[in-house]
Amino acid sequence: MSLAARSATSDPIQSVSVPSFTKLAAKPDPHVAFTVSISLPTRTYSIQQRYSAFAALYHKLAATCGAPPPAELPPKHPGSWFLAPLAAARDLSDAQLEERRAGLEHWLRAILADRDPRWRSSRTFKDFLAAPPDGAGGGGQAAPGGEGAVSRSWTATAWTAEHAAVEGAARQLRTTLDRRDAQLLASSSTAHATAKEAKTALVDLVRRIGDLANGLQVLAKDGMTEGELHRRSALVERLQGEVEELGRKAGRGPRAGAGRTGPSSRAGDDEPPTAARQALLSGAGRAPARVLGAAAAASLETPETRALDNGGVLQLQQQYMDDQDSKLEALTAALRRQRHLGEMINAELALQEDVLDQLDAGTDRVKGKMKDAQKQMKRL
């Protein structure tokens, strides 16, 4: 592994910035959210954090790393000290908020650029930025649910960021499959490489959706509300359905040359092949190898296809597609297991909701008995 690869694996966060802020007036908690943009080796994403989250991060880093971060956190504007806590940030001027945004960006970059890596390498800092764990490489591949799978500590913010990243990866996979279909219809030699890229992306999507489902179990244990868990479980189920559709799309790709609709092809669709046409397709009367020229052979040919004729190349391509179909069937089975896991999560959430209802009813009964006991004590 090269030095750059080792660096990317051990420290996946490449850069961080705070490009903007947003005033949110939603009641009962109006506040200002600062947009934090994080760049990883394989993707870039954004999260939103309040100033109080930055302040909490500062104190956690100072407590867990043995020393405060290398730069000071920008203080609250003096004019906000005398305002109500919920209205303080909202009542600041745009100039004051811009000054705070620049200070927060300088503070994060100072942590990332400092020679001492203990602050930027801490799990607290990476959880704040919803960054992948050490060794994940910013979205690298791992064995789906087996050995080599990367474990991570989930937070609500990290789960949301990962869900957005998985949605983007699904859109990218759909684009890749469309490009593969166009290449197959055009009998392009790059169709196999594109199909392999799509298959790798599909395997990675299945793994990451499984991680999201496991993350919901962690968040449930951490005390996330029932309604929010239901909402996120529905998001996972929607992603699973979308990936299943992509798996079917990957398995039913068009055959090479199927898009040719010229007059000669239409006229000969229902006609039996002539002897000349049979000879052309079977390669009779000529050497089995194809000569494409030096430049073409260097860019298009591979050791597997160089010694084959056109029929052999088509047969090899069909074999590749059959292999992909068998692997996609295995992926479909894995997706079914993931959906079953989501249904189990829903059932568990429903059971917990019933237990909470029973607890509420029991609490009401105890309160009634306590009131009766207090009345009797007053009478005594």
Side-chain angles (χ1 to χ4, degrees):
M1 181 181 295
S2 64
L3 179 61
R6 286 195 299 269
S7 177
T9 303
S10 61
D11 193 7
I13 304 175
Q14 302 294 304
S15 64
V16 64
S17 63
V18 185
S20 61
F21 59 86
T22 305
K23 292 184 177 180
L24 303 176
K27 295 182 179 180
D29 187 18
H31 62 277
V32 175
F34 293 90
T35 301
V36 183
S37 179
I38 302 98
S39 295
L40 303 178
T42 57
R43 60 186 173 96
T44 300
Y45 63 95
S46 299
I47 60 174
Q48 287 190 329
Q49 297 284 14
R50 301 174 62 165
Y51 178 83
S52 58
F54 284 90
L57 174 64
Y58 180 89
H59 295 299
K60 287 181 181 178
L61 290 177
T64 58
C65 297
E72 288 294 329
L73 189 70
K76 286 189 174 182
H77 195 273
S80 68
W81 293 347
F82 306 100
L83 301 176
L86 295 180
R90 181 189 61 190
D91 289 345
L92 292 179
S93 65
D94 289 344
Q96 292 170 332
L97 290 174
E98 176 63 24
E99 179 183 357
R100 178 178 292 182
R101 180 205 65 77
L104 293 175
E105 182 177 81
H106 172 75
W107 182 69
L108 290 176
R109 289 182 173 178
I111 293 177
L112 199 61
D114 194 78
R115 292 184 177 181
D116 192 340
R118 53 179 163 171
W119 296 285
R120 65 174 178 267
S121 299
S122 67
R123 188 66 255 168
T124 302
F125 184 69
K126 293 181 179 179
D127 284 342
F128 175 82
L129 297 179
D134 295 338
Q141 303 172 14
E147 295 181 359
V150 179
S151 61
R152 61 182 297 172
S153 57
W154 287 99
T155 63
T157 304
W159 195 97
T160 302
E162 178 64 13
H163 175 265
V166 171
E167 282 188 325
R171 290 192 297 269
Q172 182 63 34
L173 175 58
R174 188 176 296 275
T175 302
T176 303
L177 290 173
D178 292 340
R179 188 171 74 251
R180 181 212 61 179
D181 292 346
Q183 292 170 350
L184 285 174
L185 291 173
S187 299
S188 174
S189 60
T190 59
H192 173 63
T194 306
K196 185 177 180 181
E197 176 187 350
K199 181 191 68 175
T200 303
L202 185 60
V203 173
D204 187 57
L205 268 180
V206 173
R207 175 188 63 82
R208 296 174 72 177
I209 290 177
D211 290 344
L212 287 175
N214 294 333
L216 285 181
Q217 294 180 331
V218 176
L219 294 177
K221 294 179 181 179
D222 290 344
M224 179 171 282
T225 60
E226 301 292 330
E228 182 64 14
L229 285 172
H230 278 298
R231 186 185 72 84
R232 297 190 181 212
S233 180
L235 292 177
V236 172
E237 289 183 359
R238 185 178 64 81
L239 275 177
Q240 288 174 341
E242 183 177 355
V243 173
E244 284 183 357
E245 178 188 353
L246 290 174
R248 291 190 293 268
K249 179 179 176 66
R252 62 170 183 264
R255 295 297 185 261
R260 297 177 182 174
T261 58
S264 60
S265 62
R266 288 196 300 269
D269 283 343
D270 299 329
E271 298 178 0
T274 63
R277 188 177 179 187
Q278 282 280 25
L280 177 62
L281 292 176
S282 62
R286 59 184 175 86
R290 292 163 294 116
V291 180
L292 302 178
S299 59
L300 301 179
E301 291 288 346
T302 65
E304 292 178 301
T305 62
R306 187 171 292 113
L308 300 177
D309 58 1
N310 290 334
V313 171
L314 289 175
Q315 184 178 1
L316 179 63
Q317 187 178 30
Q318 184 63 43
Q319 180 182 351
Y320 283 152
M321 297 184 72
D322 292 340
D323 292 341
Q324 290 177 5
D325 290 342
S326 62
K327 293 178 180 178
L328 287 173
E329 290 177 359
L331 285 175
T332 303
L335 285 171
R336 291 196 188 99
R337 291 194 297 271
Q338 297 296 339
R339 172 164 287 185
H340 178 65
L341 178 61
E343 293 173 354
M344 291 176 60
I345 292 176
N346 282 333
E348 179 67 22
L349 292 175
L351 178 61
Q352 292 181 5
E353 190 173 357
D354 292 339
V355 172
L356 289 175
D357 291 340
Q358 295 176 7
L359 180 62
D360 290 339
T363 303
D364 293 338
R365 289 195 299 270
V366 171
K367 285 183 179 179
K369 293 180 180 180
M370 289 294 294
K371 288 181 180 179
D372 294 340
Q374 289 177 356
K375 290 180 182 179
Q376 294 178 1
M377 289 294 294
K378 288 181 181 179
R379 290 176 188 157
L380 293 175

